[in-house]
Amino acid sequence: ESKRQALLVSIHPEDYRVELLDQKKYRKLENQFPNKNIFSELIGAKIEAIEQVDFDRIMKFPCVKSGTKVSEYELYLELTGRNSNLILVNRSDSKIIDVLKKVEPKESSKRTLQKDYTYTLPPPPPQKNPFSISSSDFKQILLSNSNQNLTELLTKTFLGMDKLLAKDILFLSGLKEFAAEKLSDSQLESLWNNFKNIFTKIKECKFHPIVIIDEEQQKLGVSVLDLKSIPTANKIKSDSVADAISDYFQIRFTQAEKENLKKQILQIINSQLKKLEARRINLQAE
């Protein structure tokens, strides 16, 4: 059954993300975004695929537009924190057609993101690809960094690894948080097996997405896997990864709204308190 969906792309420095919206959610958000003539070349084009570049934080959308002539584009979404960006590129010569956040030559010695410049990918991150690591290399990394905290070591060494996932690998291996120097051969093997199993599930898209919250219903994160180290009471299960991402940001934005409202109320109360304090001083003087 075919259905209309919208792709929400955000390059906000803190809330950067991609969300897949159904028609109801799209209609609700549609009026919040003024109709601007951004990437007008893509109007009427068809997205052929959605690809991830080398398991990095970069997504590529090959697009084709039919008309008097066929035009082929590539839309790159770079979800790289404060430097997140969206760049439209001509597929035939890799020239930039348009970019949301322009970067001039004087601003960066590594890349210029301006119209008519050749597009190049951001420098690759220092972390290793977890899908291409061998058992011996994995164990050697742990042993050669024996004085480091295991969670921090896993997080900084492998792409796609955050603290929640690293702690789950330790939990499944029956290990508590300690330095790698205390690991036995059997513990190393257990760590490797659980590491491999988790990334095999991710590679095969065997997802059980969840939103993770704390005791006060504050958001902590989102995971494509049902992490065993997280208590059931702290997990909200979602039907799909897209739903989990939407749910996570909905919780996040609701919290932000509450914080803003709290701030406004406190400003009003403090203003009234100052007035009352001034009145009290005047009454005492009288």
Side-chain angles (χ1 to χ4, degrees):
E1 183 187 354
S2 63
K3 57 181 180 179
R4 291 176 65 86
Q5 291 180 302
L7 200 64
L8 172 67
V9 173
S10 172
I11 61 167
H12 187 279
E14 294 172 2
D15 299 325
Y16 50 93
R17 69 196 187 282
V18 177
E19 280 191 60
L20 198 59
L21 306 176
D22 58 29
Q23 247 184 323
K24 187 178 178 182
K25 287 180 182 175
Y26 168 68
R27 295 297 177 204
K28 191 175 179 181
L29 288 171
E30 191 178 18
N31 295 331
Q32 294 182 21
F33 301 99
N35 186 21
K36 294 182 179 177
N37 194 24
I38 298 174
F39 297 169
S40 57
E41 289 87 350
L42 279 181
I43 295 173
K46 178 184 177 183
I47 296 176
E48 293 185 306
I50 299 176
E51 303 168 8
Q52 185 178 12
V53 179
D54 296 331
F55 202 57
D56 198 358
R57 301 155 297 168
I58 302 164
M59 298 178 73
K60 182 171 80 170
F61 303 87
C63 303
V64 172
K65 184 176 180 180
S66 300
T68 51
K69 66 171 186 175
V70 176
S71 301
E72 295 182 326
Y73 308 102
E74 284 173 343
L75 187 65
Y76 286 90
L77 173 61
E78 300 176 0
L79 295 170
T80 50
R82 303 195 71 83
N83 295 319
S84 294
N85 214 337
L86 189 66
I87 305 107
L88 180 62
V89 175
N90 191 323
R91 192 185 300 180
S92 62
D93 59 8
S94 296
K95 295 289 185 186
I96 295 173
I97 297 169
D98 207 349
V99 56
L100 273 190
K101 287 199 298 196
K102 294 176 173 57
V103 179
E104 296 181 12
K106 63 182 180 182
E107 294 179 281
S108 173
S109 59
K110 295 176 182 176
R111 291 198 306 160
T112 298
L113 296 176
Q114 291 277 5
K115 189 175 180 180
D116 296 329
Y117 276 78
T118 300
Y119 174 74
T120 56
L121 290 167
Q127 292 99 325
K128 299 181 184 299
N129 188 330
F131 299 118
S132 58
I133 198 85
S134 67
S135 170
S136 57
D137 287 343
F138 177 84
K139 293 173 184 177
Q140 185 57 41
I141 287 167
L142 296 188
L143 292 174
S144 59
N145 294 276
S146 58
N147 61 336
Q148 290 194 36
N149 173 286
L150 277 172
T151 298
E152 291 177 2
L153 179 58
L154 289 171
T155 304
K156 78 173 190 179
T157 304
F158 297 103
L159 281 170
M161 179 78 71
D162 63 3
K163 286 186 178 180
L164 292 168
L165 194 57
K167 285 180 178 179
D168 206 60
I169 291 171
L170 295 185
F171 177 83
L172 293 170
S173 305
L175 296 172
K176 292 185 178 179
E177 195 57 74
F178 53 73
E181 61 187 356
K182 299 178 183 177
L183 292 173
S184 65
D185 289 344
S186 62
Q187 288 173 328
L188 271 173
E189 188 64 28
S190 181
L191 277 169
W192 162 248
N193 286 331
N194 286 304
F195 174 90
K196 184 176 68 173
N197 288 341
I198 275 179
F199 281 100
T200 298
K201 286 179 184 176
I202 293 172
K203 189 174 184 179
E204 295 174 354
C205 299
K206 293 180 179 177
F207 299 144
H208 297 279
I210 56 170
V211 177
I212 302 155
I213 55 173
D214 63 14
E215 287 71 19
E216 297 176 353
Q217 300 292 303
Q218 300 288 308
K219 51 82 191 162
L220 291 177
V222 62
S223 173
V224 297
L225 301 176
D226 186 358
L227 303 179
K228 304 303 180 188
S229 57
I230 304 293
T232 304
N234 299 109
K235 293 187 284 196
I236 301 172
K237 294 187 178 182
S238 300
D239 294 332
S240 68
V241 175
D243 286 345
I245 292 169
S246 293
D247 292 344
Y248 171 81
F249 279 99
Q250 187 56 52
I251 293 169
R252 180 169 175 148
F253 295 146
T254 301
Q255 288 170 1
E257 285 175 9
K258 285 180 180 176
E259 285 301 315
N260 285 335
L261 188 59
K262 182 180 173 183
K263 220 176 265 185
Q264 291 172 19
I265 292 170
L266 284 173
Q267 283 175 349
I268 294 168
I269 290 172
N270 286 330
S271 175
Q272 291 299 317
L273 282 172
K274 284 179 182 178
K275 289 178 182 177
L276 289 170
E277 178 63 15
R279 187 181 296 176
R280 183 184 70 81
I281 291 169
N282 287 336
L283 286 169
Q284 281 183 331
E286 290 175 7

